[in-house]
Amino acid sequence: MTPGITVLTLVVVAVAKRWAPRTTPGDRRLARILLGLLCLLALVVVASALGRMWFYVDASGLTRLRLWVLVVEIWLGVVFLLLITAGLTRGTGWLPRAVVLSGMLTVAVYGLMGPDAIVAEQNVARYERSQQIDLRNVRELSADAVPALDRLPEPQRTCALQLIRVDLDQDVRPWYAAGASAPRARGILAERPLVEGPARGRGPCEQAGLLSEGRW
């Protein structure tokens, strides 16, 4: 279940709302009822998508993409709630502005909540609970993830932090990274340097179970 299915349902609702027969009061009433039912069914689709995505997260860890999908699905659920509200009221002129505003707020909240820190924390907590972690989920995160990843044991810690350290050296960071995260991450890595010496010819990622130390 992906946001694409939910978006397709949203398109169907928009088309039906535009072209549904509205000649008589009975037609308008029937159109509102049917569109309302379609929106309610769409909310079920959203709930199903969220549940399925959380199953993936529980099974193999959180990633940036999975977190973004969760956020987008929640926003789409809000859009359907707005559509239901519009169907229960006479005026709908406010609806486009409300949808655009909700989208802007969603992007802002996504950036402010520190997605990379959330991804790292969830994966590290999963490792502490089950001793399982897919390091590909965390190796390309930003400096926001360093405090959580620093809790990993070696060689997982070094493998997880190698590419982040390279980005820190090059002052590369995504638009949503916290301003104070880079100095904090540099302090952590200075206090506890990465252990990159090969053991029996193998680097830290190979020791941790990854076949390659390149970027994913």
Side-chain angles (χ1 to χ4, degrees):
M1 198 73 65
T2 65
I5 297 175
T6 313
V7 171
L8 180 60
T9 306
L10 184 59
V11 171
V12 171
V13 171
V15 171
K17 185 175 179 61
R18 174 66 179 82
W19 296 104
R22 298 172 184 274
T23 307
T24 67
D27 288 340
R28 291 191 289 272
R29 188 180 308 110
L30 180 60
R32 284 198 300 270
I33 292 173
L34 292 178
L35 288 174
L37 289 175
L38 185 57
C39 289
L40 288 174
L41 291 174
L43 288 176
V44 174
V45 173
V46 170
S48 175
L50 289 172
R52 186 179 292 271
M53 184 54 64
W54 192 252
F55 172 79
Y56 293 148
V57 170
D58 187 60
S60 57
L62 187 62
T63 66
R64 279 175 176 168
L65 177 59
R66 289 171 183 169
L67 180 59
W68 178 243
V69 169
L70 288 169
V71 170
V72 169
E73 282 290 351
I74 291 172
W75 172 68
L76 289 172
V78 171
V79 171
F80 281 112
L81 289 174
L82 290 173
L83 287 171
I84 292 173
T85 302
L88 296 175
T89 59
R90 293 182 178 275
T92 60
W94 56 270
L95 182 59
R97 293 190 296 272
V99 171
V100 172
L101 180 60
S102 67
M104 294 172 61
L105 287 175
T106 298
V107 174
V109 169
Y110 177 79
L112 291 173
M113 72 183 185
D116 284 5
I118 293 174
V119 171
E121 181 62 40
Q122 194 278 338
N123 280 278
V124 172
R126 181 172 177 268
Y127 178 83
E128 292 171 343
R129 183 174 64 253
S130 64
Q131 301 301 300
Q132 295 181 346
I133 185 172
D134 188 342
L135 291 168
R136 291 171 297 184
N137 293 348
V138 299
R139 274 172 54 82
E140 291 197 3
L141 298 178
S142 67
D144 290 353
V146 172
L149 297 179
D150 186 56
R151 304 204 313 263
L152 290 171
E154 296 293 352
Q156 287 83 359
R157 175 181 177 272
T158 293
C159 179
L161 292 173
Q162 279 179 325
L163 297 182
I164 298 176
R165 187 187 61 180
V166 171
D167 287 341
L168 283 170
D169 292 342
Q170 298 176 354
D171 200 24
V172 175
R173 64 177 184 174
W175 63 269
Y176 51 78
S181 61
R184 183 182 181 187
R186 290 190 181 97
I188 290 173
L189 294 176
E191 184 177 342
R192 294 185 59 205
L194 302 186
V195 182
E196 298 184 283
R200 298 181 181 178
R202 298 189 301 165
C205 286
E206 291 174 299
Q207 296 175 53
L210 291 181
L211 297 179
S212 171
E213 295 190 32
R215 284 183 181 266
W216 280 268

